[in-house]
Amino acid sequence: AAIHRHVVAGARLTEYACATLAYQAREGVTHEELETEKAVLEVAKGMDHHLGDMLVQRAACSFLETFAVSAHKRAHIAEAGACAPVVAACRNHEANLDVVMDAVLLMGTLAQDGVARQSLMDTEGPQAIVSAMRVHAGDTTLQERGCRALWNIAVHGPNKDRIAIEGGISVSMVAMRRHFFHYGVLSQGVGLLRSLSAGQGNRRHEVNFQGGQYALVWGA
């Protein structure tokens, strides 16, 4: 209700409302307002209206990540139209590592569900993730989260081609080479490359051309 009343009035009130929802979700609050689509819908509206405010974006992503604990709730988030503002947050605050970290983590979580996965594809989620990974190539946590998110999106066959076209193979290779001693980056990167190598011949050829066959060996 606070978000609905103040979505236009003030960014700080929207931020505080999102932070409160995140806290309630973490504490296991299951009252009707938190379980219905209204709360998620209002959070999405708040993200849209205050797109330029990084604190609102972070608080909203925190709530959605905490809320997205089941396939039902992830689909709920997608159906409420919340995927688009999450992708927009990643793109518009690309230089801000904190916002990008939250948004990419959330996209990776949402991509575990088919409905949300398609919504991320429709709103150019892979492009936003790849671009963020390039900007923050030195951050191990972001690289791990980026590879995880792309791997989850790549579960669906046609998505693999899109990820490859957008540069998913090259950014994962760079991440694995640069963060060779980080288990999380290697494990997620290997999973992504294996997924992209499956099936269609051109993707497999590109993975091999960029040295992916060696990465799959020493990263396994």
Side-chain angles (χ1 to χ4, degrees):
I3 298 176
H4 179 71
R5 288 195 300 269
H6 302 296
V7 67
V8 175
R12 293 291 66 77
L13 289 170
T14 302
E15 176 201 348
Y16 298 152
C18 289
T20 301
L21 286 171
Y23 171 78
Q24 290 178 323
R26 281 194 298 273
E27 293 299 308
V29 176
T30 57
H31 58 71
E32 187 177 352
E33 281 191 75
L34 205 56
E35 290 295 326
T36 60
E37 189 175 275
K38 181 178 289 186
V40 174
L41 184 62
E42 295 301 335
V43 168
K45 288 179 180 178
M47 293 182 76
D48 269 335
H49 190 78
H50 300 291
L51 179 58
D53 192 292
M54 66 179 185
L55 296 178
V56 169
Q57 303 306 310
R58 293 201 66 196
C61 285
S62 176
F63 161 62
L64 294 173
E65 174 67 29
T66 308
F67 185 79
V69 294
S70 67
H72 170 72
K73 289 185 177 180
R74 290 190 288 271
H76 195 66
I77 289 170
E79 289 162 0
C83 289
V86 173
V87 174
C90 188
R91 297 182 78 95
N92 283 272
H93 297 277
E94 189 176 70
N96 187 290
L97 180 59
D98 291 332
V99 176
V100 168
M101 290 264 275
D102 292 343
V104 171
L105 175 64
L106 177 56
M107 284 191 270
T109 299
L110 293 175
Q112 296 175 77
D113 173 76
V115 175
R117 189 183 307 125
Q118 186 56 52
S119 183
L120 289 171
M121 288 297 298
D122 293 342
T123 54
E124 300 186 344
Q127 293 94 315
I129 295 167
V130 168
S131 183
M133 290 177 71
R134 285 174 174 154
V135 171
H136 302 284
D139 190 273
T140 53
T141 302
L142 180 64
Q143 297 305 306
E144 179 181 356
R145 291 180 180 183
C147 287
R148 168 183 174 261
L150 292 174
W151 186 9
N152 286 344
I153 294 172
V155 167
H156 186 49
N159 296 356
K160 300 178 193 293
D161 291 328
R162 180 87 165 271
I163 290 170
I165 290 170
E166 296 300 334
I169 295 173
S170 62
V171 293
S172 61
M173 288 294 304
V174 169
M176 293 174 71
R177 290 188 182 116
R178 187 162 183 173
H179 305 282
F180 179 77
F181 294 106
H182 191 279
Y183 173 78
V185 174
L186 290 181
S187 61
Q188 298 299 324
V190 166
L192 173 59
L193 288 178
R194 283 177 175 163
S195 179
L196 295 177
S197 298
Q200 205 260 4
N202 289 339
R203 286 193 313 272
R204 187 163 56 250
H205 174 75
E206 185 177 350
V207 169
N208 291 336
F209 178 76
Q210 296 195 35
Q213 73 273 33
Y214 302 110
L216 291 173
V217 172
W218 47 251

